[in-house]
Amino acid sequence: MTDTPRRIMIAGNWKCYKTAAEAVQFIQAFRAYPLAEKAVDVALAPTFPALDAAVRAAEGSPIRVAAQNVFWEPDGAFTGEVSVAMLKAVGVGMVILGHSERRQYFGETDETVNRRLRAALAGGLEPIFCVGESLAEREASRTLDVIRTQIEGGLAGVDESSADRTILAYEPVWAIGTGRTATPEIAQEVHGFIRSELAKKYNKSLANRIRILYGGSVKPDNAAALMAQPDIDGALVGGASLKADVFWGIVNA
Ligand code: PGA
C-alpha cells in the first residue's frame, strides 16, 4: 500500500502578540499573496480575543485559524480556561497544545497536555501537539528519552483514528526565539525518531501519514533546507510569523 505524500503545513504561532485589529490587518495583507498556488497548508494561531475576528478575516481563503491552548472540561468553574465548544463556536478548527512555553511558564505537564489533547480530538479540533527537549537535556544526551516520554504521555489513551488527526511539532526549547535553529540534520534525526515511535505505538502506515512540523527560529532563509528533510513536513513559526511578508517568505520557500 502506498501512502499519499504528506502535505507541507506552515503554522504561525503568534503567542502573546497582536490585538484583534492587528490580526485582521495581517490576514488582509497576507491574503494578497498567491496562497492557493502553493501546495502548502497555512494556519495562524492568534490570541483568544483575536480568534473570532481572525476567523472572519480568513473566510474564503485557505488560511486556517488555530487557538494556542484549550481546556479539557466542557464548562464549569475554571477561571481563565477556554473550552473546545467555545473555540468551535467561533469557527476555530485547530489548536496548539503542549507548547514548551506552556510547559515552562504555566506548569503544563504531559498529563495536562494529554487531557487537553484528548478533549480537543474528542470535540473534533485538529491539534498541533508540541514536544521538545531543553538545552540541558540535549547536553546530557537525553533528547530522545525526553521526546519518547513526552509522546507516550501526551498520546496516552489516544486511539489510532484520533492519532491520525493529530499533527506533531518538534520544537527544541533551545532553538525557540533564540535565533539558534537546529541544523536540518539534527532536526531530521529527531523527526525520524518521532516517526519510528509512532510506528511502534500505532503502525507504520499511520506513522507515515502523520505530519511532523519543526519549530524553533524558522526563517525564510532556513525553511527550504529544513523542509527538504524526509521527515520534516512543515514548520511552526513564532517570531517570523508576525510580519506578513516574512511569513510569506517561509510559505513561498
Ligand atoms: P520561534 O518560535 O520561531 O520564534 O523560535 C517557535 C515557536 O515557539 O513555536
Side-chain angles (χ1 to χ4, degrees), residues 13 15 99 101 171 175-178 215-218 236-240:
N13 173 12
K15 308 191 178 187
H99 190 279
E101 285 150 16
E171 299 206 304
I176 294 178
T178 58
S217 299
V218 175
L236 184 54
V237 186

Side-chain angles (χ1 to χ4, degrees), residues 10-26:
I10 307 292
N13 173 12
W14 284 348
K15 308 191 178 187
C16 193
Y17 293 100
K18 292 192 194 296
T19 62
E22 288 162 347
V24 169
Q25 213 173 31
F26 177 109

